[in-house]
Amino acid sequence: QKEVEQDPGPLSVPEGAIVSLNCTYSNSAFQYFMWYRQYSRKGPELLMYTYSSGNKEDGRFTAQVDKSSKYISLFIRDSQPSDSATYLCAMRGWGNTDKLIFGTGTRLQVFP
Amino acid sequence: DGGITQSPKYLFRKEGQNVTLSCEQNLNHDAMYWYRQDPGQGLRLIYYSQIVNDFQKGDIAEGYSVSREKKESFPLTVTSAQKNPTAFYLCASSTDGYSNQPQHFGDGTRLSIL
């Protein structure tokens, strides 16, 4: 079993829809959670960075962490065609030698 | 503009050849990382460096080598011992390797076999 599981998609939605992207994980030591957006042939771009459980909002994006269920989500409101990309979740423990563990990414397509 | 610059964007390797991928950052970050990205797999850590003149192996270091002689530079050499080098290589950096600050990425180098 992988430490981080993420549905590869593709997830196809109409413009204006609310998108929900999710990751599950198995390591209860993970404390820091990130979402990256990656356009084709580009490097990942940090979207959201959260610590422990709870919600964090930034514009149209909301990151949610449920440590009791080992489940994290990224919600995108009023989705736009420019949101079409692959979304990677990533997480790590609190130790200073802990590595960042990535999901495989979910490909999102927003059509006009 | 501060950022991470990877070059070249595309690189081709012949059999038995070593190739070097460049990564330069002007963010004044102490820590730098190299990842490999293959379709259907998450990013896998090759090497990382938390300070100049020091680096550590990641999960898939075999067939790769690095150096960290300057804070802003962390080149990766893909040696002929790496039998399956075709992949998208990503360089990242963070403030330091100890304070759980997020990593920021360059735009990658795509390496292919000729």
Side-chain angles (χ1 to χ4, degrees):
Chain A
Q1 183 190 7
K2 291 182 181 177
E3 277 192 285
V4 178
E5 299 276 1
Q6 187 174 10
D7 188 323
L11 178 62
S12 188
V13 302
E15 184 175 355
I18 296 174
V19 175
S20 172
L21 303 164
N22 311 295
C23 287
T24 58
Y25 62 95
S26 56
N27 189 341
S28 57
F30 288 149
Q31 297 282 344
Y32 298 90
F33 304 91
M34 283 137 269
W35 285 96
Y36 288 86
R37 178 175 62 195
Q38 185 175 22
Y39 291 115
S40 181
R41 302 186 192 88
K42 293 287 191 179
E45 170 195 8
L46 181 68
L47 278 179
M48 302 290 279
Y49 177 57
T50 54
Y51 168 70
S52 196
S53 285
N55 292 0
K56 182 175 181 179
E57 189 174 317
D58 185 0
R60 296 185 296 112
F61 299 92
T62 299
Q64 197 171 75
V65 175
D66 182 349
K67 290 190 69 184
S68 61
S69 301
K70 297 191 183 70
Y71 189 89
I72 69 170
S73 300
L74 178 70
F75 298 97
I76 307 175
R77 289 183 298 282
D78 188 24
S79 56
Q80 302 294 310
S82 58
D83 294 328
S84 298
T86 296
Y87 290 80
L88 306 168
C89 63
M91 51 198 78
R92 62 171 288 183
W94 59 267
N96 61 13
T97 57
D98 283 13
K99 297 167 196 168
L100 199 56
I101 308 297
F102 287 85
T104 52
T106 298
R107 190 155 64 94
L108 171 67
Q109 296 172 335
V110 182
F111 56 90
Chain B
D1 270 342
I4 301 169
T5 301
Q6 290 188 242
S7 62
K9 197 171 178 64
Y10 299 97
L11 188 58
F12 298 91
R13 196 190 89 169
K14 295 179 182 177
E15 290 289 335
Q17 186 181 42
N18 292 352
V19 292
T20 297
L21 285 60
S22 169
C23 178
E24 303 276 331
Q25 55 97 359
N26 61 4
L27 299 167
N28 200 33
H29 285 174
D30 284 323
M32 297 186 74
Y33 311 81
W34 275 106
Y35 291 90
R36 170 180 171 139
Q37 187 175 35
D38 294 280
Q41 298 196 43
L43 276 67
R44 292 183 290 167
L45 183 64
I46 304 172
Y47 267 99
Y48 64 102
S49 167
Q50 292 172 309
I51 198 166
V52 175
N53 292 321
D54 186 50
F55 49 82
Q56 308 295 328
K57 290 182 179 180
D59 299 318
I60 55 164
E62 187 174 347
Y64 301 97
S65 66
V66 293
S67 61
R68 187 84 187 279
E69 297 175 1
K70 298 187 294 183
K71 185 175 183 177
E72 59 270 23
S73 178
F74 191 40
L76 172 75
T77 296
V78 183
T79 75
S80 57
Q82 173 49 246
K83 297 306 178 189
N84 184 23
T86 297
F88 190 46
Y89 289 87
L90 289 160
C91 178
S93 70
S94 64
T95 308
D96 59 57
Y98 306 100
S99 63
N100 294 309
Q101 291 301 304
Q103 294 177 21
H104 299 271
F105 288 82
D107 274 341
T109 292
R110 186 165 297 280
L111 175 62
S112 303
I113 294 285
L114 275 179

